[in-house]
Amino acid sequence: VLALAFESVVKLGALLAGGIYALVVLDGSDAGVVSRASDIMRRIPTPDFIAMIGLGALAAFTLPHQFHTGVVELRDPADLKTARWLFPGYLMLIGAPALPLALAGLQVFGSEVSPDLYVVALPREGGHSALALLAYVGGLSAATGMMILSSLTLSIMIGNHWLGARMVRGATGERTGSPDLRPRVLAYRRIGIVVVFAMAWLYSRAMGGVEALADFGLISFSALAQLAPAMMASAHLPPVPPRTNLTALGV
């Protein structure tokens, strides 16, 4: 969690720096950022845009790493008081540079450069290598945090839901007492991390021709949005008492 918090600060700082530079680029143009942004904001949102907003909102609850961070890692309910204002504020800050970067990228590059690369390509085009390096470090930090958290989360889910039930049934059937399952659990989770990374690498090789990184996110959002009805329905169901206490088994 500390690593995730650190990389969140790094990528926020890098993105804000890129957004400020984009404002400088746009202020030097004839149109200016205010008039062009106002024209975009006055347009009626398209159905595609509304659907993307909805998928993004659902992803905050259905993506494995989001669910793990927001639910599993919640140690103290009092932390929600801080999260209620800090998380929306963070989202507003990290979303603020999007429009200036998009406008500046279209102005400088047109359709020659993928929009995913504007935050790095703009300072490079202007000869600001240090700013470009900061933007790259921010992107690397975000990717590293995603890889670490997603692999850990998925490996825990694989170990608990696919393999853990079988281990628990075998352990409770023994008459010698409750064995220490922690070494087996850790081994299965480590194997799960390797499997997740291997599958991700194979998927990246198969989808190497796709230039827009946002397409990968939309695929994930669309697939996991199917879990939203079940999650909403389960929130109104009474809790089911567990049949086996994993803590008593050493997990």
Side-chain angles (χ1 to χ4, degrees):
V1 173
L2 290 176
L4 177 64
F6 179 75
E7 67 89 9
S8 298
V9 173
V10 171
K11 69 183 179 185
L12 176 62
L15 196 57
L16 288 176
I20 294 173
Y21 178 75
L23 288 175
V24 174
V25 172
L26 286 169
D27 283 343
S29 64
D30 297 332
V33 64
V34 177
S35 60
R36 298 185 67 179
S38 299
D39 179 65
I40 292 176
M41 297 301 293
R42 283 195 299 265
R43 298 177 185 176
I44 299 176
T46 63
D48 291 344
F49 180 78
I50 296 175
M52 291 180 185
I53 295 296
L55 290 175
L58 292 176
F61 303 96
T62 56
L63 285 175
H65 63 280
Q66 294 279 61
F67 181 84
H68 182 84
T69 304
V71 179
V72 178
E73 291 292 347
L74 180 61
R75 305 302 184 190
D76 187 356
D79 293 339
L80 292 175
K81 296 180 180 179
T82 304
R84 285 192 180 103
W85 64 265
L86 183 59
F87 185 60
Y90 182 88
L91 291 180
M92 292 179 65
L93 284 175
I94 204 168
L99 185 57
L101 284 169
L103 293 174
L106 288 174
Q107 173 185 302
V108 175
F109 303 109
S111 59
E112 297 179 357
V113 177
S114 173
D116 296 317
L117 302 177
Y118 284 168
V119 67
V120 177
L122 280 171
R124 283 193 61 191
E125 182 70 17
H128 301 280
S129 301
L131 183 57
L133 178 60
L134 176 62
Y136 175 79
V137 170
L140 181 64
S141 176
T144 302
M146 175 70 75
M147 292 169 60
I148 293 173
L149 191 57
S150 297
S151 62
L152 287 176
T153 303
L154 290 173
S155 67
I156 291 173
M157 290 181 174
I158 292 172
N160 288 355
H161 298 287
W162 291 1
L163 306 175
R166 187 178 300 275
M167 286 190 300
V168 169
R169 283 197 297 267
T172 55
E174 297 179 0
R175 298 182 179 179
T176 57
S178 299
D180 188 359
L181 297 178
R182 285 174 292 183
R184 292 175 62 187
V185 171
L186 289 176
Y188 286 144
R189 288 180 180 177
R190 289 165 181 166
I191 294 173
I193 291 174
V194 175
V195 171
V196 169
F197 271 114
M199 293 178 65
W201 181 80
L202 291 174
Y203 182 80
S204 68
R205 296 293 90 192
M207 302 294 291
V210 179
E211 296 183 357
L213 292 176
D215 292 344
F216 294 108
L218 287 177
I219 293 174
S220 302
F221 290 0
S222 302
L224 290 167
Q226 301 177 56
L227 301 176
M231 292 187 62
M232 294 177 182
S234 63
H236 300 283
L237 295 176
V240 178
R243 291 180 295 179
T244 304
N245 188 354
L246 294 180
T247 304
L249 297 175
V251 180

